[in-house]
Amino acid sequence: MRRRGVPSLVLLAVLTLVLSAGGVADFAFPLRANSVRLAVIADFGNGKQFQIDVAQQMVKSRAVFPFEFVITLGDNLLTGSQPSDFDKDFAVPYKPLLDAGVQFYATLGNHDKTNERFYKPFNMNGATYYTYKKGHVRFFALDSNYMDPKQTAWVETQLRGAGNGDWKICYFHHPLYSSAKSHGPALDLRKVLEPLFVRYGVDVVFSGHEHVYERVLPQQGIYYFTEGASGELRAGDLTPSAITAKGFDADRSFMMIEIAGDDMYFQTTSRMGVAVDSGVIHRTIRPASASVPHE
Amino acid sequence: MIAKRWIRCRGVSGLVALSLCVAATRMLAGQGAALSKEQADDAAAFREFSARVQEYVKLQKTVESSLPALKSTDLPEMIAAHQQALARKIREARPHAKAGDIFTHAACEAFRHASRAALAGPHSARSRAYMQRGDAPNPGMRLAVNGLYPDTEPITPVPPALLAAFPPLPVEVAYRVVGRTLILVDVESRLIVDIARLTLPPAS
């Protein structure tokens, strides 16, 4: 019943993680030809110096690791929706990146106004949820503020139609898994989305909302990252739990990602330029029949 | 002798039990009838609610068609100008709008029943608590029909279970939750279209 409509040869990604041992300062991206390179930020739009520091660190990092685009996990404009807020919270801090042609692909957080979807630099084209492809990676930008049956059906249709060869990466504001104290996991959302993610072989999920960084141990074969500290911070809010693979709540941070073939290299960098987490996720394709069962 | 008394007692107990069974069956049947009446009433109330929403959306579209279409733009001023103009024109088009115009009394009852059912159980109780945590909108914030949803207040993610239990809405409007209050908002103008207070069950 659960698998009705799923092609018999649907492949599910199975991922293994190889962490770089010890420190992460010497982590290097392979910078392979035709790889997909991006940065990840969330909960950034407050216009404060900390956000500007992170943005400047992104510019510095880009000189070494030339990411082509940035995905935002929501709370893009935390101070309001007046024209000046767009400038203060976004256009000014990221001007060097925007001027360099770096594209941003936004999702909405609980502090965002729906009309941000019309702001061209966010590349939402008037939609609160959308999908796009970069190289061999299919991205699904979702609206976790309002996961109504219409959006849920859309997610299923898009995931099912995305094929099996590409990476599938979903991102949205509210984390399905979290060990932070302020909010914790969005269980209602998990109940709806996780079965779809498992069934259709989503590889990685990025969320924000919690103002910390956390990498969660694979849940039903899927890697979950929370990066909600690219401007805001709740220092000490993370209580590492059994699902925590790595956490950082001492300063603001952002992530850089390179996806080359079946490998996803990631590094999380603090506002001060210190690499606080890094690793490689290796994706192995196998038939859906060998997939991990879900709830 | 003892056996006779036991049989007599058993007979009496059996009669009592039978009577209780009959009474319970009648009660349950009555409850079933009441439940189906409630369900029928709720279904009718939701139909009426959806019809009123459609009426509102028709008005909204008429109003919006008199404005320059909003497309993706680099200029936030264009977005703000559109939002403000649309809000102003909708207010002008329904100057006497008041709470209950769309969330009728019967609709409020139907939403209460649907909310209670959707948020029942321990899992959903956690989700309900999740809605209230952290930076939830101030439950005491001023809400008024034809007023704007405050720019500085966050929104509460509406649990998917609620959205699945409520009547689906056209894209022009959306449900919002503030504390126990359910709000219908116009997505582009951020106007509060209607308010249903004390609709959601308490978090506890």
Side-chain angles (χ1 to χ4, degrees):
Chain A
M1 185 70 178
R2 211 170 52 213
R3 294 193 174 279
R4 186 170 55 184
V6 180
S8 58
L9 289 179
V10 164
L11 301 178
L12 185 68
V14 176
L15 309 169
T16 54
L17 181 69
V18 182
L19 276 175
S20 56
V24 287
D26 57 349
F27 185 84
F29 288 98
L31 298 175
R32 282 193 218 150
N34 301 321
S35 64
V36 175
R37 299 168 200 165
L38 64 143
V40 183
I41 56 173
D43 302 81
F44 51 88
N46 59 20
K48 293 178 184 168
Q49 187 57 46
F50 293 123
Q51 178 196 2
I52 294 165
D53 292 344
V54 172
Q56 288 173 349
Q57 197 57 247
M58 290 171 76
V59 173
K60 278 185 203 167
S61 298
R62 192 168 179 272
V64 182
F65 174 66
F67 54 83
E68 295 147 12
F69 62 103
V70 178
I71 63 173
T72 86
L73 315 176
D75 283 1
N76 312 310
L77 306 177
L78 286 156
T79 56
S81 62
Q82 297 306 308
S84 59
D85 297 318
F86 282 82
D87 290 339
K88 179 167 54 77
D89 295 356
F90 179 76
V92 170
Y94 305 107
K95 187 174 188 301
L97 295 174
L98 292 163
D99 288 347
V102 174
Q103 298 281 307
F104 286 71
Y105 294 88
T107 54
L108 301 178
N110 59 312
H111 285 269
D112 290 311
K113 307 297 171 283
T114 315
N115 280 357
E116 288 175 30
R117 70 193 194 277
F118 294 111
Y119 186 49
K120 200 178 265 183
F122 285 170
N123 277 300
M124 300 174 80
N125 297 314
T128 58
Y129 50 91
Y130 57 101
T131 179
Y132 57 97
K133 194 174 170 185
K134 297 278 187 183
H136 63 309
V137 184
R138 168 64 67 175
F139 291 88
F140 303 88
L142 308 183
D143 178 6
S144 59
N145 287 320
Y146 208 76
M147 190 57 63
D148 62 354
K150 188 180 168 195
Q151 186 182 177
T152 309
W154 179 90
V155 172
E156 176 154 25
T157 302
Q158 295 300 321
L159 285 174
R160 187 169 52 219
N164 308 313
D166 293 338
W167 282 76
K168 294 191 184 88
I169 292 181
C170 293
Y171 62 102
F172 45 88
H173 190 59
H174 300 86
L176 302 192
Y177 291 91
S178 171
S179 306
K181 283 179 280 193
S182 282
H183 301 99
L187 297 174
D188 237 9
L189 197 61
R190 187 199 294 175
K191 195 174 172 185
V192 171
L193 289 180
E194 188 176 49
L196 298 178
F197 291 173
V198 172
R199 190 178 306 162
Y200 298 111
V202 169
D203 301 301
V204 181
V205 175
F206 294 102
S207 298
H209 198 42
E210 302 286 8
H211 298 167
V212 298
Y213 166 76
E214 184 180 19
R215 172 162 55 82
V216 169
L217 291 168
Q219 301 295 313
Q220 305 205 47
I222 300 168
Y223 283 84
Y224 291 89
F225 292 87
T226 297
E227 174 50 274
S230 305
E232 293 289 298
L233 174 70
R234 286 195 190 99
D237 195 52
L238 191 65
T239 307
S241 68
I243 63 166
T244 307
K246 181 78 178 179
F248 179 67
D249 62 359
D251 200 355
R252 281 86 180 162
S253 57
F254 69 100
M255 292 185 72
M256 290 178 286
I257 310 282
E258 178 175 4
I259 303 169
D262 287 327
D263 294 319
M264 185 184 107
Y265 301 82
F266 65 90
Q267 176 174 304
T268 305
T269 302
S270 78
R271 179 175 64 97
M272 304 307 288
V274 177
V276 295
D277 189 21
S278 67
V280 186
I281 288 171
H282 179 73
R283 187 178 76 140
T284 310
I285 306 290
R286 70 179 185 187
S289 56
S291 66
V292 185
H294 57 82
E295 286 177 2
Chain B
M1 185 65 175
I2 293 170
K4 273 186 184 173
R5 279 175 64 185
W6 183 82
I7 289 166
R8 200 164 62 225
C9 286
R10 283 283 302 242
V12 172
S13 301
L15 279 173
V16 170
L18 186 64
S19 306
L20 283 173
C21 276
V22 170
T25 309
R26 281 181 181 165
M27 275 177 66
L28 285 173
Q31 275 182 356
L35 195 63
S36 11
K37 182 177 180 318
E38 184 179 288
Q39 285 170 338
D41 288 349
D42 288 353
F46 276 161
R47 279 196 299 277
E48 176 63 23
F49 168 81
S50 296
R52 289 177 185 229
V53 167
Q54 289 298 343
E55 268 179 47
Y56 171 80
V57 169
K58 194 174 163 188
L59 176 142
Q60 193 255 28
K61 281 182 174 171
T62 306
V63 166
E64 192 172 24
S65 66
S66 68
L67 299 171
L70 179 59
K71 294 175 183 168
S72 289
T73 173
D74 288 312
L75 302 172
E77 292 82 0
M78 298 277 285
I79 299 170
H82 183 88
Q83 179 260 318
Q84 287 159 11
L86 184 59
R88 188 179 64 249
K89 283 186 168 285
I90 292 172
R91 275 195 203 106
E92 287 168 4
R94 53 193 304 260
H96 306 297
K98 60 184 184 311
D101 283 352
I102 296 175
F103 285 123
T104 61
H105 178 73
C108 287
E109 281 304 303
F111 276 103
R112 276 190 197 101
H113 298 150
S115 306
R116 205 180 304 142
L119 295 176
H123 179 92
S124 290
R126 286 200 298 270
S127 299
R128 184 86 181 89
Y130 183 84
M131 289 163 66
Q132 305 299 331
R133 264 187 228 161
D135 48 2
N138 175 10
M141 74 184 187
R142 188 173 176 277
L143 299 169
V145 172
N146 268 352
L148 288 180
Y149 188 94
D151 196 29
T152 50
E153 288 289 342
I155 60 170
T156 297
V158 188
L162 273 188
L163 293 173
F166 290 170
L169 293 175
V171 293
E172 290 81 3
V173 287
Y175 296 110
R176 294 281 184 262
V177 169
V178 178
R180 294 181 59 196
T181 300
L182 183 65
I183 303 168
L184 187 69
V185 294
D186 183 288
V187 171
E188 279 194 29
S189 69
R190 292 207 337 269
L191 269 188
I192 295 172
V193 179
D194 205 353
I195 302 167
R197 296 189 190 277
L198 300 176
T199 302
L200 273 70
S204 58

